[in-house]
Amino acid sequence: MTSTRSSTSTEVRWARPEELAGLVAVELAADGVFAQVGITFPPGTTMIEETDDPSRVLVAGDPPVGFALFGEVDGQLHLDQLAVHPDHGRRGAGGSLVEAVCEHAAAAGFAAVTLTTYRDVSWNAPWYARRGFSVLDPAEWGPEMAELVRHERELGIEIAPRVVMRRLL
């Protein structure tokens, strides 16, 4: 799988099992960027540490400079985590990963891709909106999404206002 977004986009491919552990550093570095807007995450495992299934992970680059971790929520493909190492940011890797996730979702028969993100962080909800995602009203959430949002709050992730977004395929 290779993105054709632009000449500056990064090759996107499926993660290899032996790469998963190394993606922790990518996620931690990407999470560290949030400090510039006053967001620090509670201690605990990273999202990538919680999976051992490379079929849920697309990576950008070789070695990987970013990744997209996804699952399924309410019958739709759900982007659990998108992370690009800040040393490689603003070069198209994140956009290439999002497009690859959407292409995979469409090929797998999903009607949409969902995600949760920070509403007011420029590289979160506004960035996803430019890529075709729109904010879902809580009345549009299914039971699994409502539980996911509740669980994020319980974990302390809702440090700033968050939204649920969806891109129809």
Side-chain angles (χ1 to χ4, degrees):
M1 169 178 299
T2 302
S3 173
T4 57
R5 197 169 157 258
S6 74
S7 61
T8 61
S9 63
T10 303
E11 178 187 347
V12 173
R13 60 181 173 77
W14 292 101
R16 295 185 290 266
E18 66 272 13
E19 292 177 314
L20 294 179
L23 296 176
V24 172
V26 172
E27 185 170 355
L28 289 172
D31 284 353
V33 175
F34 284 88
Q36 31 179 298
V37 293
I39 296 173
T40 55
F41 296 103
T45 58
T46 62
M47 296 209 51
I48 197 67
E49 286 176 288
E50 296 177 5
T51 188
D52 60 359
D53 182 359
S55 73
R56 294 183 53 215
V57 183
L58 290 168
V59 295
D62 195 358
V65 299
F67 71 88
L69 169 67
F70 55 88
E72 189 174 325
V73 174
D74 292 320
Q76 299 305 322
L77 190 132
H78 182 79
L79 180 58
D80 292 312
Q81 178 71 308
L82 178 69
V84 174
H85 195 287
D87 291 348
H88 300 274
R90 305 186 62 83
R91 297 182 197 161
S96 293
L97 283 162
V98 167
E99 291 309 312
V101 165
C102 291
E103 289 169 14
H104 167 69
F110 291 100
V113 172
T114 60
L115 57 88
T116 60
T117 194
Y118 290 103
R119 182 188 69 201
D120 301 320
V121 176
S122 64
W123 65 89
N124 276 203
W127 186 86
Y128 286 109
R130 290 190 302 274
R131 282 150 187 83
F133 287 82
S134 58
V135 173
L136 283 182
D137 186 273
E140 298 177 272
W141 300 352
E144 292 174 350
M145 183 63 74
E147 174 59 23
L148 175 65
V149 170
R150 186 201 63 72
H151 182 66
E152 285 183 352
R153 288 178 180 151
E154 188 177 88
L155 291 174
I157 293 172
E158 190 167 25
I159 300 160
R162 288 181 65 79
V163 292
V164 174
M165 299 183 84
R166 176 181 66 197
R167 176 171 157 178
L168 297 174
L169 303 174

